[in-house]
Amino acid sequence: MWDSLMKKAKLGGLNTIDTYVFWNIHEPTKGDYDFATDRANLPLFLRTARDNGLFVMLRIGPYVCSEWNFGGFPQWLRHEPDVVFRTYSKSFMDNMRRFVGKVVSVTRKYMPEYGGPIIGMQIENEYGDHQWEFGEDGNRYADWCGDTAQSFNITVPWIMCRQYYPVAGVIPTQNDFYCDQYLDRYHEQYPQFPDMWTEMWPGWFQRWGEAAPYRPIEDISYAVAKWFAYGGTYVSYYMYQGGTNFGRTSGPFILTSYDYDGFIDEYGLENWPKYLHLRELHRVLLNNAPFITGNPVPEPQPLGNRQETSARVYGNGDEYLAFLVNTAERSNITVVFDQVEIDLHRWSVTLVRKRRGEMYPTILYNTATLSPDVRRAQAHPSGFETIGGVVETESIRELSIGIPRSSDMHVHATQPLEHISVTDDRTDYLWYRTTVSNPCSEAGQLVLKDAGDVAYAFIDDRALGMRHGRQDSLATFAFDVSKGFKNDTVTVSILSQTMGMAHNQQHMESYARGLLGSVTLCGRDITEGKWLMMPGLSSKSKDQEAPPAIDAVHWTSYRGKSGSHFRWYAIKLDADKLLADSDARLAVDLSSMSKGQLWINQHHLGRYWLRLAPSKQDYSPCQHCEYGGWFWPDSTCRQKCGEISQRYYHLPRSYLTAKSYLYVMEEIGGRPENIAIAKRVSRLPKEEEEERGEWKDVLCRVVLAVCAAAALLGLGAAARMLYDQYAARRGYLRSAIPTLVRRDMNGAVAAYNTIAGSANDAALVSNVNTFYANLNGVADPTEITQSEKQVSDQIQANNKNKVPTSQTAAWVASVLVHFVQ
């Protein structure tokens, strides 16, 4: 399932995968663990990483945030006696220790001493953002986390990300869009620890009704290169591959798509501009890793008379890797570095390498310069193509849900009960009903105060409409009530809906939704009275969410009308035709629908909602996108303005069977006959096709690894050391295993062919340097370094002994020929 994504991550220049461990996946019922089925198969994930030569940073939490339903906490945890989440609460800590201990037990055989890929573990997650809210209990809990982690006696280090309060025995790490600004203080405070950036945010999540976030690739590479320039040793992307929030796993108002504008999209295809541009940076960093890990953090050297420019040089005057940094947001600046005039693009980092024996350095990479392949990829962005003839629109069936009868509502109370206490989050939906004497002599309103997330209102089964709130806040929902209710009594029915549970707030254990405040009808408070409630949409369904089986109830033929609220549609697919293309990455185009739930056979694909994003002229973040200056997703670079936030919904091929039905539960109304199946298209830039060769990747989805981040230099040596050997902040990284990325040999071959015909020693040195530059990413960097030293030393010796250039060139060509054979 995960093999394809890991192969692509490694081809992208990565050597470590970060993943969260989701408590509500692995222990959905207290004491009932699942580490073996489908997306819960953590051992399989670890074996797949190991088999692909990748390390793993296992971020247990067990709070994970991740815009995931309830931040990863299982629902049963809310019911534990006297529980308070994420503070010094015995009930919470006992359960947390038990679960973390279970994860350690399951994964212990994947530790380095057994040849496993795990190089570190995380306890808690971004606790520094909330620790202060709990006062001294927050401090006691943070210390308890450190003590608990150490008590498991594992051989890899523990980390706590975004942890501002020092905790003994754990490495504090950073999460942010940029993190170089933290390094000077970190070096002073934690000289014994590596500098780890556990979440570099190259994109952002998206809510219903929002324009798509986008971060310029020039800014991403700038932030990463600057991190290493200033002394960082580990960077991990959140997200490298985002994925899909199948079922009801997304947080409040978060899209079903969790694509995150990652390097690999939710369908498992490369986001080519981002993938290629950062892959080149990864290659340069990995091929020159000995300079970064084998030298102390350099002091900045001024470049010219501009304070925005500086050089950070790893190495010495004879051989080095230099980072030339220009922090000016709008100004390109020309500087002289090591006798060479170099143009520094605004807001960029230029990586420069000088080899022993060279007179001048060579520019390896500039974060603001896009290669021809990257520019071609930007000109041909990913998209969708409709597949014709696979949706059997002539045989659509429908099933009206209807408002349940009072006799089917078995929860009774004197006022509306809190939504989640009744549903236990087993369903999004909860029906409320009360019958009162008619207070509406004239037109008025039904007002629901402090309600959330969504409400549909009815009076005497007549629909009044739908209202919704936003994110983590409650709202007041007002529905207009017209004249025409002549009976002495009226029945008020309200369907409340949650759009995901809180994922990042204090006191999540008391998170509440539904009708929490007063209910008034035409000015009369009807909150107190006889209220009936029923979880789920229909009393006829055994599962409160799943569609009725096509042969289990009486479905009727669809007549081409959108129908009333709350209606199931069953749409047969030609699965044979869909599966005939083994490479197709499939999606459901729901642009003809409104809002509801989507299933394929018995697999819940998630919520859907065809909300429009703000138009460009009405929303300033849509009006400009230019790298330079600090990026923030709420103020710049929003894309697809005025379009539907999510039109296409991921349809995994593995969910298709010979007899496949799409089940669409539409809450408002739509045209199911216009639903289509599309395939995701991410075209490879032409010049890259030979490099890919015969790679045929199977569609796979990292559900477990919603935090499928990836480290560059990583913690490679952790696979060979015990924790007490990590004292040297930089030295332990020296045995990090680099990732080799294959590419075509054209550049290296062309450069090699110039060597034998070199006119003089200067030309020979230049041709040899060009050859080695083209070997980056092709050959083992250790072998390259050894070869460079051998060749450079011999050229200098021959020059000193006045050996003819032709003779030296012939010797060099004979030594280097094995690289290009």
Side-chain angles (χ1 to χ4, degrees):
M1 180 179 181
W2 295 297
D3 185 64
S4 174
L5 291 179
M6 292 191 188
K7 281 182 167 60
K8 291 182 178 182
K10 189 161 187 178
L11 280 169
L14 310 179
N15 63 12
T16 304
I17 298 294
D18 279 25
T19 182
Y20 280 136
V21 179
F22 295 88
W23 195 351
N24 54 11
I25 285 181
H26 295 292
E27 194 183 5
T29 303
K30 186 175 182 179
D32 184 11
Y33 298 106
D34 181 5
F35 288 94
T37 66
D38 193 30
R39 61 185 179 180
N41 197 335
L42 180 56
L44 175 61
F45 181 89
L46 296 172
R47 290 195 298 272
T48 305
R50 180 196 62 198
D51 293 346
N52 280 285
L54 292 165
F55 298 120
V56 174
M57 177 63 70
L58 198 65
R59 302 176 66 184
I60 300 175
Y63 167 72
V64 298
C65 185
S66 196
E67 292 71 58
W68 185 266
N69 194 54
F70 217 28
F73 289 133
Q75 277 300 311
W76 58 260
L77 191 60
R78 302 173 76 234
H79 307 306
E80 292 294 284
D82 302 318
V83 70
V84 183
F85 290 3
R86 305 183 71 198
T87 189
Y88 203 79
S89 162
K90 184 177 186 305
S91 180
F92 176 76
M93 294 188 299
D94 286 349
N95 281 288
M96 175 175 163
R97 179 184 174 85
R98 178 180 51 78
F99 177 72
V100 174
K102 180 66 175 180
V103 177
V104 170
S105 174
V106 168
T107 60
R108 190 176 289 275
K109 65 180 179 180
Y110 298 98
M111 296 294 174
E113 62 268 30
Y114 302 110
I118 297 174
I119 57 172
M121 286 191 169
Q122 176 177 300
I123 194 165
E124 249 296 337
N125 187 57
E126 297 184 329
Y127 190 60
D129 293 340
H130 293 282
Q131 181 173 338
W132 63 274
E133 297 172 332
F134 294 103
E136 186 55 35
D137 276 351
N139 297 338
R140 294 171 67 199
Y141 169 68
D143 289 333
W144 173 86
C145 287
D147 293 341
T148 298
Q150 294 303 307
S151 71
F152 294 116
N153 295 317
I154 59 175
T155 57
V156 298
W158 286 89
I159 66 171
M160 290 180 72
C161 69
R162 218 168 166 91
Q163 180 57 43
Y164 315 127
Y165 170 97
V167 175
V170 300
I171 301 172
T173 70
Q174 318 295 336
N175 297 352
D176 214 326
F177 289 104
Y178 311 87
C179 279
D180 58 273
Q181 68 273 19
Y182 303 125
L183 283 174
D184 285 346
R185 181 178 177 183
Y186 187 89
H187 293 160
E188 293 176 4
Q189 192 170 3
Y190 303 104
Q192 76 278 25
F193 286 152
D195 328 275
M196 299 177 65
W197 189 357
T198 36
E199 291 188 18
M200 189 284 171
W201 301 329
W204 202 238
F205 60 89
Q206 186 179 2
R207 296 184 177 94
W208 305 107
E210 288 185 344
Y214 168 76
R215 185 176 182 184
I217 55 178
E218 299 93 334
D219 188 63
I220 299 168
S221 57
Y222 168 79
V224 173
K226 196 178 177 191
W227 166 259
F228 285 106
Y230 286 34
T233 52
Y234 174 105
V235 66
S236 184
Y237 296 103
Y238 185 98
M239 312 287 294
Y240 195 78
Q241 192 267 344
T244 307
N245 290 319
F246 290 119
R248 301 172 51 253
T249 56
S250 61
F253 291 92
I254 305 295
L255 296 189
T256 295
S257 170
Y258 199 71
D259 184 83
Y260 221 86
D261 194 34
F263 299 77
I264 301 173
D265 68 22
E266 68 173 304
Y267 298 88
L269 298 176
E270 294 89 341
N271 179 354
W272 285 112
K274 185 173 290 188
Y275 184 89
L276 293 175
H277 188 54
L278 271 296
R279 185 181 71 177
E280 291 302 318
L281 175 60
H282 302 163
R283 286 173 170 173
V284 171
L285 290 170
L286 285 169
N287 288 336
N288 292 279
F291 285 103
I292 302 173
T293 60
N295 287 285
V297 178
E299 293 295 323
Q301 301 176 14
L303 291 175
N305 57 4
R306 297 286 296 270
Q307 64 178 7
E308 298 97 332
T309 59
S310 64
R312 313 276 175 141
V313 182
Y314 290 87
N316 53 52
D318 294 330
E319 190 171 23
Y320 60 75
L321 176 71
F323 295 80
L324 311 185
V325 181
N326 180 8
T327 62
E329 298 180 9
R330 294 290 178 264
S331 302
N332 297 340
I333 301 173
T334 300
V335 301
V336 175
F337 176 75
D338 198 1
Q339 308 177 66
V340 177
E341 189 175 86
I342 300 176
D343 293 326
L344 302 183
H345 292 272
R346 62 185 176 86
W347 200 253
S348 76
V349 178
T350 300
L351 281 77
V352 175
R353 165 75 186 272
K354 186 176 182 180
R355 296 171 175 82
R356 190 177 304 278
E358 290 183 351
M359 183 174 294
Y360 304 114
T362 301
I363 296 175
L364 302 180
Y365 181 87
N366 176 265
T367 60
T369 301
L370 305 183
S371 71
D373 278 342
V374 172
R375 292 195 297 271
R376 274 190 293 271
Q378 288 181 326
H380 300 89
S382 302
F384 292 91
E385 294 178 356
T386 300
I387 304 174
V390 295
V391 180
E392 299 184 11
T393 56
E394 69 281 357
S395 59
I396 297 175
R397 301 184 189 182
E398 62 180 338
L399 180 67
S400 179
I401 296 173
I403 301 174
R405 298 171 299 181
S406 296
S407 58
D408 294 325
M409 296 182 163
H410 302 303
V411 180
H412 297 181
T414 58
Q415 61 183 22
L417 299 179
E418 189 274 324
H419 182 124
I420 301 167
S421 66
V422 180
T423 65
D424 204 29
D425 199 37
R426 298 177 186 276
T427 172
D428 284 352
Y429 304 102
L430 177 66
W431 283 100
Y432 294 92
R433 171 174 283 188
T434 188
T435 299
V436 298
S437 59
N438 187 355
C440 302
S441 57
E442 300 291 336
Q445 285 190 322
L446 172 66
V447 179
L448 314 178
K449 190 174 181 181
D450 292 335
D453 294 317
V454 177
Y456 293 87
F458 306 82
I459 292 185
D460 289 345
D461 295 350
R462 184 189 303 179
L464 302 183
M466 181 268 276
R467 302 289 184 271
H468 63 83
R470 53 188 299 241
Q471 279 102 281
D472 300 323
S473 59
L474 298 171
T476 295
F477 299 153
F479 301 85
D480 291 332
V481 179
S482 61
K483 295 180 180 180
F485 296 99
K486 303 299 184 182
N487 297 333
D488 291 338
T489 61
V490 292
T491 297
V492 177
S493 300
I494 298 164
L495 180 63
S496 173
Q497 181 186 12
T498 54
M499 293 294 292
M501 295 274 286
H503 63 93
N504 183 20
Q505 67 179 49
Q506 187 185 21
H507 292 303
M508 290 169 61
E509 72 282 350
S510 58
Y511 183 77
R513 284 298 179 263
L515 306 185
L516 304 180
S518 62
V519 180
T520 60
L521 178 61
C522 295
R524 181 193 297 173
D525 190 333
I526 61 171
T527 312
E528 298 291 335
K530 182 180 180 181
W531 284 86
L532 311 177
M533 282 149 280
M534 185 193 81
L537 279 173
S538 171
S539 62
K540 298 177 182 178
S541 176
K542 293 181 180 179
D543 188 315
Q544 295 169 343
E545 290 286 330
I550 194 68
D551 53 359
V553 297
H554 182 63
W555 293 75
T556 61
S557 296
Y558 171 63
R559 300 299 184 185
K561 297 181 179 180
S562 62
S564 63
H565 289 70
F566 310 111
R567 189 171 294 262
W568 282 106
Y569 297 101
I571 306 171
K572 191 175 182 181
L573 303 180
D574 187 336
D576 290 339
K577 186 177 289 187
L578 286 173
L579 293 173
D581 183 352
S582 60
D583 288 333
R585 314 301 173 94
L586 304 175
V588 184
D589 180 354
L590 291 177
S591 56
S592 64
M593 306 306 287
S594 298
K595 183 179 183 296
Q597 311 271 344
L598 178 66
W599 293 66
I600 177 69
N601 301 323
Q602 294 304 305
H603 298 281
H604 192 184
L605 298 183
R607 305 179 182 98
Y608 70 86
W609 196 355
L610 284 300
R611 287 191 68 189
L612 289 174
S615 62
K616 185 173 182 178
Q617 60 268 28
D618 296 332
Y619 190 52
S620 63
C622 290
Q623 296 166 9
H624 52 87
C625 183
E626 187 176 3
Y627 82 93
W630 283 52
F631 172 82
W632 182 250
D634 292 338
S635 60
T636 188
C637 284
R638 291 285 175 155
Q639 309 287 307
K640 299 182 180 179
C641 305
E643 300 180 23
I644 297 169
S645 290
Q646 185 176 354
R647 172 178 174 176
Y648 295 94
Y649 294 79
H650 189 185
L651 175 59
R653 298 169 57 83
S654 60
Y655 289 175
L656 293 171
T657 60
K659 184 179 179 181
S660 287
Y661 279 90
L662 275 180
Y663 293 97
V664 183
M665 199 292 292
E666 174 57 49
E667 299 172 8
I668 299 173
R671 305 295 300 192
E673 67 272 26
N674 294 329
I675 291 174
I677 304 298
K679 65 177 179 180
R680 179 70 168 173
V681 177
S682 179
R683 290 185 173 85
L684 194 65
K686 186 175 181 180
E687 276 67 21
E688 289 280 326
E689 291 177 358
E690 291 184 7
E691 174 186 332
R692 297 290 294 181
E694 298 181 355
W695 277 95
K696 300 282 188 180
D697 296 311
V698 179
L699 173 64
C700 55
R701 151 76 171 105
V702 175
V703 179
L704 175 65
V706 165
C707 184
L712 288 176
L713 300 183
L715 293 166
R720 301 166 182 80
M721 298 184 182
L722 299 180
Y723 178 73
D724 60 358
Q725 293 176 286
Y726 286 100
R729 183 178 58 80
R730 309 185 63 78
Y732 80 95
L733 287 165
R734 291 176 183 169
S735 58
I737 298 177
T739 301
L740 296 182
V741 186
R742 295 297 305 171
R743 64 176 179 180
D744 65 76
M745 291 288 295
N746 292 343
V749 171
Y752 174 82
N753 290 335
T754 67
I755 291 173
S758 300
N760 51 49
D761 283 355
L764 175 61
V765 170
S766 176
N767 292 335
V768 169
N769 289 341
T770 302
F771 172 79
Y772 281 123
N774 278 277
L775 279 183
N776 286 336
V778 176
D780 186 327
T782 302
E783 184 180 2
I784 292 175
T785 300
Q786 293 172 348
S787 175
E788 281 182 286
K789 186 177 188 309
Q790 177 192 11
V791 169
S792 176
D793 290 347
Q794 191 63 51
I795 290 175
Q796 290 184 55
N798 285 6
N799 180 271
K800 183 177 180 180
N801 295 323
K802 302 187 184 307
V803 176
T805 298
S806 59
Q807 186 175 333
T808 303
W811 176 85
V812 171
S814 69
V815 170
L816 301 182
V817 68
H818 73 280
F819 283 113
V820 295
Q821 286 178 330

